[in-house]
Amino acid sequence: SGNSCVCATTCKDTATVPANATAVKSNCTACGQTYSIVTGFTCNSGYTKSGNECVAQCKVGDILYSDASCSSSKVSGKTAIGVVAYINGNQKLAISLTEKSTYWAYPGGDEDVSCIMNYTTTQTAATDTNGLMATRCAATYNTKKDYQAVKYCYNLKPTNSGIGSSGWYLPAAGEWNNIKTNYNAISKGLTNASGTRLSSSKYWTTTESGASSVWTAYANLGIAGSDGKGSSYLPARCLLQF
């Protein structure tokens, strides 16, 4: 540099620290000097990493967006896809903003879906949390019947990108049992998200009780009983793992 030699250090920050985060720093040595550079970041308590940002951690009743972020009130410019319905450790479930009244199977419902296990008592039905697997199975089952409730969730795509573009499923009986205690928070979240409120009617599940019947559940009470696949016309509401 002119008539002198200066250190051409390559020690420069390699990351930008967003709001609600703390810098992660490392030492870098060049030209006999040690520099402290930013190499990453960790999100502060109550926040989680989403791309290059730290967003508030999701809570039951929060609105869930297609970018996997959450908020208690609707955020302009973001695509709301559901409401957080259940959190247990790393297991997080969101409920859809919409529902559809339909038959479980049409025409009729006297066919046992062989890839779905039958549960004959309320107690055993409450242990079934395999709604995702059952939905994928029934939606693609080789049959002449139309599994309408299952297919409604299987085909639900409220946004073209992000976590809501696929993966919705009809809950199993045990999953309705798990989220029933969060009924009030979910209802408030659906209102905040301008979604369809939960019905007072029974809801379809993927849990079979026999060849021609499946277990149904109330959103606020859990498992209700067994209804005919092709004789009852009930709402289907969907869940998403995120």
Side-chain angles (χ1 to χ4, degrees), residues 24-43:
V24 174
K25 296 184 177 182
S26 299
N27 289 332
C28 177
T29 302
C31 306
Q33 297 185 58
T34 300
Y35 301 85
S36 179
I37 63 172
V38 177
T39 57
F41 66 88
T42 58
C43 295

Side-chain angles (χ1 to χ4, degrees), residues 141-154:
Y141 199 63
N142 184 21
T143 177
K144 294 181 180 180
K145 296 187 183 298
D146 181 13
Y147 293 128
Q148 296 178 346
V150 169
K151 287 183 178 179
Y152 168 68
C153 292
Y154 183 77

Side-chain angles (χ1 to χ4, degrees), residues 103-111 143-148 151 211-212 228-231:
Y103 293 108
W104 201 93
Y106 186 85
D110 55 349
E111 179 180 55
T143 177
K144 294 181 180 180
K145 296 187 183 298
D146 181 13
Y147 293 128
Q148 296 178 346
K151 287 183 178 179
S212 60
K229 295 177 181 178
S231 58

Side-chain angles (χ1 to χ4, degrees), residues 74-130:
K74 204 168 184 180
V75 177
S76 176
K78 288 195 173 188
T79 302
I81 62 170
V83 169
V84 180
Y86 182 75
I87 297 177
N88 184 15
N90 292 327
Q91 184 186 18
K92 297 182 291 185
L93 300 176
I95 197 166
S96 60
L97 298 178
T98 60
E99 61 183 46
K100 180 180 180 180
S101 292
T102 181
Y103 293 108
W104 201 93
Y106 186 85
D110 55 349
E111 179 180 55
D112 189 13
V113 182
S114 61
C115 54
I116 297 179
M117 184 181 296
N118 287 356
Y119 295 82
T120 57
T121 68
T122 304
Q123 290 73 24
T124 56
T127 67
D128 182 17
T129 56
N130 294 316

